[in-house]
């Protein structure tokens, strides 16, 4: 009987020691995983392909030297912070709202020959200018973020901008297919693009006030 009690006490002691070892090890494993942080570029959407990560790293590496140079010029902080959105808003309203959207629909809906002729002359020029300044402004906006020490690809603003530029490239090719019936697609895609860029502008203002 004494031997049975001794064996039962030894078993209980072994179980307690095992529980203690388990209890001690768990915080160590959690702490180790919490400390195991590696630098990474965060993307706004998990739906983006993995190829976007090296592309983001490449764009950041390409713009960083220029951003470092402009930072040494000690430009006024309001200019660095709000220069990009101010310039892009002028382009959006003047070249986009009037030149691309309004004149484009004038071509389709006006019955005045002089109005249509003027719109046909100005519409492609202003739309092309809008595309050029949007592309130029995209690099300027990214550089502005780098100059302020902020990451580029962590907001929806950059992705709506890049998506809009890609769709503008598609839009620019559609006039070559007007004879095949692409005129309607050009008009409706252009209208949708102006809506996208309004959302893009709102996201940009949200980003500007958050940093």
């Amino acid at each position: 009987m004494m031997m049975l009690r001794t064996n039962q006490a030894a078993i209980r002691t072994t179980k307690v020691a095992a529980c203690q070892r388990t209890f001690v090890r768990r915080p160590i494993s959690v702490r180790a995983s919490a400390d195991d942080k590696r630098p990474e570029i965060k993307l706004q959407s998990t739906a983006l392909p993995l190829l976007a990560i090296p592309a983001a790293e490449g764009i950041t590496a390409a713009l960083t030297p220029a951003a470092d140079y402009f930072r040494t010029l000690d430009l006024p902080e309001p200019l660095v912070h709000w220069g990009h959105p101010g310039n892009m808003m002028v382009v959006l309203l003047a070249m986009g709202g009037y030149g691309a959207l309004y004149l484009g629909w004038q071509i389709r809906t006006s019955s005045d020959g002089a109005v249509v002729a003027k719109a046909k002359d100005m519409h492609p020029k202003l739309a092309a200018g809008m595309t050029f300044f949007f592309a130029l402004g995209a690099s300027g906006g990214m550089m502005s973020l780098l100059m302020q020490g902020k990451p580029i690809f962590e907001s929806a603003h950059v992705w709506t901008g890049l998506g809009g530029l890609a769709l503008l490239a598609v839009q620019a090719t559609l006039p070559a297919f007007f004879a095949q019936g692409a005129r309607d697609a050009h008009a409706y895609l252009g209208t949708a693009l102006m809506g996208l860029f309004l959302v893009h502008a709102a996201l940009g203002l949200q980003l500007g006030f958050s940093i």
Side-chain angles (χ1 to χ4, degrees), residues 66-84:
D68 291 341
Y69 168 74
F70 282 110
R71 193 183 292 116
T72 64
L73 300 180
D74 198 22
L75 298 172
E77 192 276 337
L79 177 63
V80 174
H81 196 94
W82 294 111
H84 166 75

Side-chain angles (χ1 to χ4, degrees), residues 5-6 12-13 19 42 69 75 115 133 155 166 174 198 209:
R5 290 179 180 177
T6 301
R12 284 196 297 270
T13 302
C19 291
K42 298 179 181 178
Y69 168 74
L75 298 172
V115 170
F133 284 112
S155 85
L174 292 180
L198 284 176
F209 284 116

Side-chain angles (χ1 to χ4, degrees), residues 100-172:
L101 186 62
Y102 176 75
L103 291 181
W105 280 99
Q106 283 286 334
I107 296 171
R108 290 177 61 87
T109 61
S110 179
S111 58
D112 188 327
V115 170
V116 172
K118 179 183 176 181
K120 284 185 175 180
D121 178 57
M122 295 299 297
H123 171 70
K125 295 176 182 176
L126 290 175
M130 177 193 70
T131 303
F132 172 78
F133 284 112
F134 273 173
L136 191 65
S139 61
M142 293 178 184
M143 198 175 303
S144 172
L145 286 173
L146 289 175
M147 290 172 67
Q148 298 173 79
K150 304 298 181 181
I152 296 177
F153 294 96
E154 289 187 15
S155 85
H157 177 68
V158 68
W159 295 111
T160 53
L162 294 175
L165 287 175
L167 289 175
L168 279 176
V170 174
Q171 177 78 338

